[in-house]
Amino acid sequence: MERTARYRAFWRGMLFVCTMTSIGGNQAFADHKVYSPIVNKGEWEFETRYHWTVDKTRARDDEQGHLFELGYGVTDWWATAIFATLDKEAENGTRYGETAWENVFQLTPQGKYWLDAGAYLEYAHAARGGEADDVEAKLLLEKDFGLFTHTANVIFEKQVGEHREPGTELGYAWRSRWRWSREFQPGIEAYGGFGAIRDFERRADQTHQVGPVFLGKLGRIEYEVGWLFGVTHETPNNTIILTLEYEFFM
């Protein structure tokens, strides 16, 4: 009986993701966050994320992204947030990027089944004229093995609106971390994009990066810092990431 319920929950998540991506661009999957499927009811969070690229090629060097987010755990299965981004592309100044609404849905009770599962849905409105809005959906999977937690996101992204480009992009995010202590948890993360599902890019033109990260929680502040290395030609050689999140209950 439990096995049947587990399979039903898994396929509900898959159906949700596939349905939402069929309605709704390419951010190159560069928000540099691995999402857990676990939702904490009643929790408020203010989060800021930053990334900075260092590359020998001028066109990919000194790119920066800033994200500011306010989120809330509405129920024990649904958390929602709004965020805004500032982007600095190579050789350009900092500009307002987009405003977005994101939602995380926890599909299975934590620890009840072999795998914790969830779904993510985001709508992002481009701040600049001539650029497309986009819809992003993710299947969120997480599993603990002893002191290690492995989290995977399968990402689908599609542009919408007047300036959209055709096709649905496929990407991924992965993190494995060692829960050494509450304050310090080393790990490794990987991010990538394959291009449109019906016509993947050549491997050299895809974006893939991997590297060490360090996470932890000091009081009410969660932090993450990492250094990602590009493994394909179109990916920056180095990307430094930093996340700070303040959590509280009211």
Side-chain angles (χ1 to χ4, degrees), residues 26-27 63-66 84-90 92-99 124-134 159-164:
N26 183 8
Q27 293 178 312
E63 293 183 343
Q64 299 180 39
H66 307 260
T85 65
L86 298 174
D87 303 319
K88 179 183 181 299
E89 299 176 349
N92 289 324
T94 301
R95 301 184 297 176
Y96 184 31
E98 63 186 16
T99 304
H125 174 66
R128 298 187 289 270
E131 296 186 0
D133 295 351
D134 63 68
Q159 292 186 354
V160 295
E162 180 182 358
H163 304 287
R164 68 183 182 275

Side-chain angles (χ1 to χ4, degrees), residues 4-198:
T4 300
R6 178 181 66 195
Y7 290 154
R8 285 177 179 173
F10 174 78
W11 288 113
R12 280 200 302 269
M14 288 294 293
L15 178 61
F16 174 84
V17 169
C18 293
T19 300
M20 297 314 300
T21 53
S22 68
I23 66 171
N26 183 8
Q27 293 178 312
F29 308 101
D31 59 359
H32 296 114
K33 179 172 181 176
V34 181
Y35 283 85
S36 168
I38 306 306
V39 170
N40 295 314
K41 181 180 178 181
E43 181 180 78
W44 288 90
E45 58 182 37
F46 177 75
E47 180 177 326
T48 179
R49 299 203 297 269
Y50 171 75
H51 75 258
W52 172 49
T53 65
V54 179
D55 193 278
K56 294 180 293 185
T57 303
R58 188 174 183 181
R60 292 193 296 269
D61 185 46
D62 196 29
E63 293 183 343
Q64 299 180 39
H66 307 260
L67 182 146
F68 306 92
E69 176 179 293
L70 178 64
Y72 177 63
V74 182
T75 70
D76 57 3
W77 57 268
W78 171 40
T80 188
I82 56 172
F83 67 80
T85 65
L86 298 174
D87 303 319
K88 179 183 181 299
E89 299 176 349
E91 304 176 356
N92 289 324
T94 301
R95 301 184 297 176
Y96 184 31
E98 63 186 16
T99 304
W101 177 35
E102 71 173 32
N103 297 273
V104 173
F105 303 93
Q106 184 172 331
L107 300 178
T108 60
Q110 185 177 12
K112 184 174 182 179
Y113 304 117
W114 183 82
L115 196 67
D116 295 327
Y120 172 101
L121 179 64
E122 172 195 312
Y123 183 88
H125 174 66
R128 298 187 289 270
E131 296 186 0
D133 295 351
D134 63 68
V135 172
E136 184 175 291
K138 304 178 184 181
L139 177 62
L140 315 179
L141 303 172
E142 190 166 84
K143 176 65 177 177
D144 289 338
F145 288 100
L147 292 178
F148 291 88
T149 298
H150 306 287
T151 308
N153 298 170
V154 183
I155 307 170
F156 304 86
E157 186 175 356
K158 186 174 181 64
Q159 292 186 354
V160 295
E162 180 182 358
H163 304 287
R164 68 183 182 275
E165 295 183 359
T168 298
E169 304 271 336
L170 175 65
Y172 65 89
W174 174 278
R175 178 175 63 221
S176 294
R177 60 186 171 95
W178 175 31
R179 303 189 312 276
W180 186 68
S181 70
R182 181 177 182 271
E183 295 78 15
F184 183 73
Q185 300 182 11
I188 187 169
E189 289 185 355
Y191 299 89
F194 300 99
I197 292 176
R198 294 186 178 181

Side-chain angles (χ1 to χ4, degrees), residues 203-219:
R203 186 181 183 280
D205 296 330
Q206 296 176 9
T207 57
H208 299 282
Q209 51 191 170
V210 62
V213 295
F214 302 95
L215 310 92
K217 189 169 185 177
L218 303 172

